[in-house]
Amino acid sequence: MRCVIARFPFDLTKSEVEQSMSGITPEPVTGLAVTIGRRVYPVMQVGEVITRQSRRDFTVGEMRRALTRLGFTCHDAPAVTQTWDARADEGWLG
């Protein structure tokens, strides 16, 4: 599929993106995320890997459109669950 990212045309396929991301460790997700295989990656990290461009050169919207058209699922960052630390409350309770 041809898509334009940062004013440059790219011919991408879903399998090429999966192969490019296969050896990459996901960074912590703080914004928009994409699920590739069983891993969740930040959209900007995927864009940087597949375009070989700086993250400043393209937008989240461009990458979301391209990845969605390729058949990937884009979603917001997973909710962070806070854990309760009993030691932190000991000072307040006495």
Side-chain angles (χ1 to χ4, degrees), residues 63-77:
M63 286 310 306
R64 171 186 253 178
R65 278 189 300 276
L67 292 169
T68 301
R69 286 180 59 200
L70 286 169
F72 293 104
T73 303
C74 295
H75 46 84
D76 292 327

Side-chain angles (χ1 to χ4, degrees), residues 10-85:
F10 292 92
D11 287 319
L12 300 171
T13 63
K14 187 172 183 174
S15 61
E16 288 174 342
V17 173
E18 290 170 339
Q19 184 179 7
S20 295
M21 298 306 294
S22 65
I24 307 293
T25 303
E27 296 174 357
V29 178
T30 56
L32 191 64
V34 59
T35 303
I36 299 176
R38 290 181 286 150
R39 294 183 174 186
V40 177
Y41 294 92
V43 167
M44 295 300 277
Q45 180 185 12
V46 175
E48 185 176 49
V49 171
I50 64 175
T51 66
R52 297 182 190 96
Q53 295 179 351
S54 171
R55 295 177 191 198
R56 293 173 289 175
D57 294 339
F58 52 86
T59 65
V60 173
E62 288 176 306
M63 286 310 306
R64 171 186 253 178
R65 278 189 300 276
L67 292 169
T68 301
R69 286 180 59 200
L70 286 169
F72 293 104
T73 303
C74 295
H75 46 84
D76 292 327
V80 177
T81 57
Q82 293 183 348
T83 58
W84 181 68
D85 187 3

